[in-house]
Amino acid sequence: MDLAKFDGKHVRVTDKWGEAFTGMAEYGDYNFLECEYGGKEDGIFIEDCLIYNSQIVSIEEIEVHGTVELWTEQLILRRYRSDDIDDLYRRLGTDSALYKYSGWNPYATLEMAQETVRRFIRSYEDEHAYSWIMDIDGIIVGTIGAYDYKDDHIEVGFSVVSDWRGRGLATEALKMVLEYLTKNEGIPCVTAWCASENIGSKRVLEKAGMKLVRMENGGLVVGDRAYDKLIYEYRT
């Protein structure tokens, strides 16, 4: 069975014992599995489960919607979990730079982090609500999500932990999310905004392929400061 063609795709696998596994497939070739696991054939990982080729009765690609796990070169984009709360507060909530140009931080206190995570987890029942943790080897390095779906438009936003900025992670994540939202979810227009002084966010939006469509003079007020608000779009 040619398992390599399912790498990075969402699949449903049934093994010879009748157990079914659903999720994103990660292909393990013969050499890797022999070296790491002592196996004598290739196989498929679905989350922490390894299913060898000879154990698979059937495998099929499936259509999925909502906040599904996505993989980039460096990142796993996964759903929020309740055990993320402390890390989100510590890594993002205590970072004043996070809300310099937005005026709000959903993780600013432990209580706010708890409510934010609970709200996102509840939202997973909605196929048009999208909230991901950026994860590298079990470390939270940022967040990205898309919200307020209406009239075939949705707005995207992201944040990156200070120690991990400048490595292209936000651009990498945003490219993947834009592709998923437009191609898999069929949403024709994704929007985003940032302050004109927020050079880092501007670069991310533009490098990910979003286009500046208008500027609202003084349209963003944070404390006693007013910034020009830049509106971006990504269309299929």
Side-chain angles (χ1 to χ4, degrees):
M1 189 178 299
D2 181 10
L3 298 180
K5 67 182 181 181
F6 294 103
D7 186 44
K9 301 183 184 302
H10 291 88
V11 300
R12 178 179 294 108
V13 175
T14 303
D15 67 18
K16 63 183 183 181
W17 297 283
E19 189 168 358
F21 303 85
T22 303
M24 179 175 284
E26 182 180 5
Y27 177 65
D29 64 24
Y30 177 96
N31 292 331
F32 172 76
L33 294 184
E34 182 180 36
C35 178
E36 295 294 325
Y37 297 91
K40 299 297 182 182
E41 57 182 322
D42 63 350
I44 286 285
F45 291 92
I46 297 182
E47 296 184 351
D48 295 330
C49 296
L50 168 60
I51 309 105
Y52 285 105
N53 201 323
S54 63
Q55 298 172 334
I56 296 174
V57 173
S58 66
I59 179 170
E60 59 180 336
E61 187 175 354
I62 59 175
E63 185 175 345
V64 290
H65 297 286
T67 307
V68 300
E69 188 172 288
L70 303 173
W71 291 58
T72 71
E73 183 176 350
Q74 302 178 83
L75 296 162
I76 297 174
L77 303 183
R78 62 165 176 83
R79 289 186 171 194
Y80 282 72
R81 304 188 299 251
S82 57
D83 59 1
D84 293 327
I85 292 170
D86 287 346
D87 272 353
L88 287 165
Y89 167 66
R90 180 169 51 86
R91 292 175 176 273
L92 293 173
T94 59
D95 183 3
S96 60
L98 188 67
Y99 52 90
K100 179 179 180 180
Y101 295 113
S102 66
W104 65 282
N105 181 343
Y107 315 105
T109 67
L110 193 56
E111 291 74 19
M112 290 175 66
Q114 289 172 339
E115 176 52 34
T116 298
V117 171
R118 289 169 183 160
R119 184 174 72 253
F120 285 154
I121 291 174
R122 290 195 300 269
S123 77
Y124 292 143
E125 298 178 5
D126 181 355
E127 288 191 350
H128 282 127
Y130 310 89
S131 304
W132 289 276
I133 292 285
M134 299 184 200
D135 186 306
I136 295 181
D137 296 329
I139 298 171
I140 295 175
V141 299
T143 64
I144 188 167
Y147 319 100
D148 301 328
Y149 174 75
K150 185 178 180 180
D151 299 330
D152 291 331
H153 287 64
I154 199 164
E155 182 178 298
V156 69
F158 55 85
S159 58
V160 177
V161 173
S162 59
D163 292 346
W164 292 84
R165 291 172 192 151
R167 307 189 192 192
L169 299 178
T171 302
E172 190 173 309
L174 182 55
K175 284 181 177 179
M176 173 59 73
V177 167
L178 290 173
E179 180 179 6
Y180 176 72
L181 293 174
T182 54
K183 292 184 177 180
N184 193 83
E185 302 297 85
I187 301 173
C189 181
V190 183
T191 66
W193 58 266
C194 70
S196 57
E197 285 85 348
N198 192 345
I199 304 301
S201 289
K202 286 171 57 178
R203 287 175 177 166
V204 169
L205 297 174
E206 291 166 4
K207 287 172 70 175
M210 302 194 78
K211 306 297 183 184
L212 179 64
V213 293
R214 72 178 187 275
M215 180 176 70
E216 299 176 0
N217 294 322
L220 185 58
V221 179
V222 180
D224 58 357
R225 291 287 306 275
Y227 301 99
D228 293 337
K229 186 176 183 179
L230 306 181
I231 312 297
Y232 286 82
E233 285 186 356
Y234 181 91
R235 290 182 176 272
T236 53

